[in-house]
């Protein structure tokens, strides 16, 4: 049974302390991330469920005000995060240019990594919009390690998927949300397995809104934009994915079980910082916004440094 909600947020409500609620924005057109960041009152209809994965979740008439946004799924509900790389032809080309090639050789199959949360609490990496991205001490100096932004459309699996066909793939999707797959380029290029460079604590914003697959029936129509300190640096569309959502879900499910709550980040369009002639990198004091269409809205995150500690390496 598809959920009754169309746009889901997870949050603390004003006047209710640290109790966690699910809700649907009263205003169907509001960008929740921008509004909350600006300090505006955001009203939501309470959803009668403790988890976005609850197929019996229902939107009520009880209205609450958001005090603090959380990731749209409980971190306990996310068994694994898969992250595709080079899934936009323009991004693949800009990476090829950096390597001295005129054009990228497009892959035959999705190239992906797994954020290392299979054997540990996923809360170590994932954060909500409004929370700071923490640059770890191991990526100093920043101009050498090049902490980088990547706006991405994220798929959330709603029911157990294995050996799914492309034709049926969207039937297994609960909804879509946004992500900033913050990457640390020196470590990424130094270690073939990207798990280490993409799993540092508090570096992966997720949210702000989970839009149901019923509401966003064509995931290849989503605009994606990154705004770095007020400057638009990425401006793309999911229609330019090399492997669309159907093919991605189908491929990743072959001989592999994708449990409910699995998050699949589907790659980023052109415009990342490390490929530019005048390179850009995240540093303390910066603000990065990842804006997605389709009702998902904008992740707004500032950047801070991890307090200095004695190295353990």
């Amino acid at each position: 049974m598809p959920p009754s909600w169309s746009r889901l947020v997870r949050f603390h409500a004003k006047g209710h302390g640290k109790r966690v609620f699910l809700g649907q924005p009263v205003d169907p057109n509001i960008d929740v991330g921008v509004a909350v960041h600006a300090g505006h009152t955001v009203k939501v209809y309470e959803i009668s469920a403790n988890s976005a994965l609850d197929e019996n979740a229902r939107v009520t008439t009880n209205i609450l005000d958001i005090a603090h946004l959380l990731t749209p799924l409980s971190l306990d509900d996310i068994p694994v995060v898969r992250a595709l790389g080079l899934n936009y032809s323009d991004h693949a080309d800009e990476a090829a240019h950096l390597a001295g090639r005129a054009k990228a050789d497009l892959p035959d199959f999705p190239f992906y990594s797994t954020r290392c949360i299979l054997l540990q609490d996923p809360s170590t990496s994932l954060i909500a919009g409004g929370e700071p991205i923490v640059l770890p001490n191991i990526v100093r100096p920043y101009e050498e390690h090049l902490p980088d932004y990547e706006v991405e459309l994220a798929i959330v699996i709603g029911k157990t998927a294995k050996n799914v066909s492309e034709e049926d793939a969207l039937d297994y999707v609960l909804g879509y949300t946004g992500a900033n797959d913050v990457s640390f380029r020196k470590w990424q290029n130094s270690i073939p397995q990207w798990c280490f460079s993409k799993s540092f604590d508090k570096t992966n914003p997720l949210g702000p809104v989970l839009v149901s697959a019923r509401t966003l029936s064509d995931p290849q129509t989503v605009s994606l934009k990154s705004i770095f300190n007020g400057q638009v640096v990425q401006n793309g569309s999911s229609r330019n994915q090399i492997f669309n959502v159907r093919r991605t879900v189908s491929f990743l499910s072959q001989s592999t079980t994708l449990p409910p709550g699995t998050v699949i980040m589907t790659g980023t369009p052109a415009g990342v910082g490390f490929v530019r002639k005048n390179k850009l990198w995240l540093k303390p004091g910066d603000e990065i916004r990842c804006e997605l269409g389709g009702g998902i809205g904008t992740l707004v995150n500032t950047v801070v440094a991890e307090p200095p500690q004695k190295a353990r390496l």
Side-chain angles (χ1 to χ4, degrees):
M1 178 184 299
S4 69
W5 50 267
S6 56
R7 300 174 70 217
L8 179 146
V9 290
R10 187 168 160 271
F11 61 99
H12 296 143
K14 292 180 180 179
H16 292 270
K18 294 298 183 181
R19 180 181 170 187
V20 176
F21 292 88
L22 300 181
Q24 176 166 290
V26 172
D27 181 349
N29 299 312
I30 192 171
D31 186 324
V32 174
V34 169
V36 170
H37 178 74
H40 298 159
T41 298
V42 178
K43 295 186 176 297
V44 298
Y45 294 114
E46 182 181 359
I47 294 174
S48 61
N50 294 320
S51 168
L53 300 175
D54 185 348
E55 63 182 21
N56 296 313
R58 291 294 177 265
V59 180
T60 72
T61 57
N62 186 40
I63 295 179
L64 300 167
D65 294 340
I66 294 178
H68 177 72
L69 274 175
L70 304 171
T71 53
L73 276 83
S74 163
L75 298 172
D76 291 335
D77 285 337
I78 304 174
V80 64
V81 177
R82 300 285 179 89
L84 269 62
L86 300 177
N87 194 35
Y88 286 74
S89 56
D90 55 359
H91 175 50
D93 284 343
E94 69 179 357
H97 297 162
L98 187 67
R101 303 194 308 273
K103 202 167 184 63
D105 296 323
L106 298 184
D108 294 324
F109 305 102
F111 177 76
Y112 73 94
S113 62
T114 301
R115 277 191 173 257
C116 292
I117 62 173
L118 286 169
L119 301 177
Q120 62 185 47
D121 184 351
S123 64
T124 58
S125 177
L126 300 174
I127 59 174
E131 295 184 55
I133 296 166
V134 179
L135 300 182
N137 290 317
I138 200 170
V139 301
R140 296 172 185 257
Y142 307 128
E143 63 272 19
E144 177 182 334
H145 284 267
L146 300 176
D148 211 346
Y149 50 82
E150 290 189 1
V151 60
E152 307 208 7
L153 175 67
I155 306 164
V156 178
I157 297 298
K159 59 183 181 179
T160 301
K162 184 175 181 179
N163 295 327
V164 172
S165 68
E166 290 186 32
E167 180 181 4
D168 296 335
L170 297 189
D171 295 338
Y172 293 81
V173 176
L174 175 68
Y176 306 92
T177 191
N180 184 355
D181 186 18
V182 174
S183 302
F184 300 86
R185 302 305 186 185
K186 180 176 180 179
W187 286 117
Q188 183 180 358
N189 293 325
S190 298
I191 302 175
Q193 295 294 331
W194 290 358
C195 181
F196 180 72
S197 65
K198 287 179 173 279
S199 298
F200 295 127
D201 292 355
K202 299 185 182 302
T203 56
N204 182 195
L206 186 73
V209 173
L210 178 63
V211 179
S212 73
R214 170 178 51 84
T215 302
L216 183 52
S217 59
D218 185 356
Q220 306 311 140
T221 61
V222 178
S223 60
L224 301 95
K225 185 182 295 185
S226 286
I227 305 167
F228 178 56
N229 293 333
Q231 174 189 357
V232 175
V233 288
Q234 290 184 283
N235 192 0
S237 170
S238 60
R239 69 175 176 270
N240 296 322
Q241 290 178 344
I242 299 170
F243 302 101
N244 63 21
V245 170
R246 286 183 183 274
R247 189 171 181 190
T248 295
V249 171
S250 175
F251 178 81
L252 293 181
S253 74
Q254 297 308 304
S255 300
T256 302
T257 299
L258 302 179
T262 296
V263 174
I264 304 170
M265 296 191 291
T266 59
T268 196
V272 295
F274 85 108
V275 301
R276 293 169 175 263
K277 181 177 181 181
N278 296 316
K279 297 185 187 302
L280 297 176
W281 59 87
L282 300 175
K283 57 190 181 302
D286 287 339
E287 180 192 83
I288 182 69
R289 299 187 177 210
C290 291
E291 175 187 308
L292 292 94
I296 295 170
T298 305
L299 287 162
V300 183
N301 298 89
T302 55
V303 182
V304 301
E306 181 183 27
Q309 303 174 22
K310 184 178 180 180
R312 298 181 180 180
L313 294 179

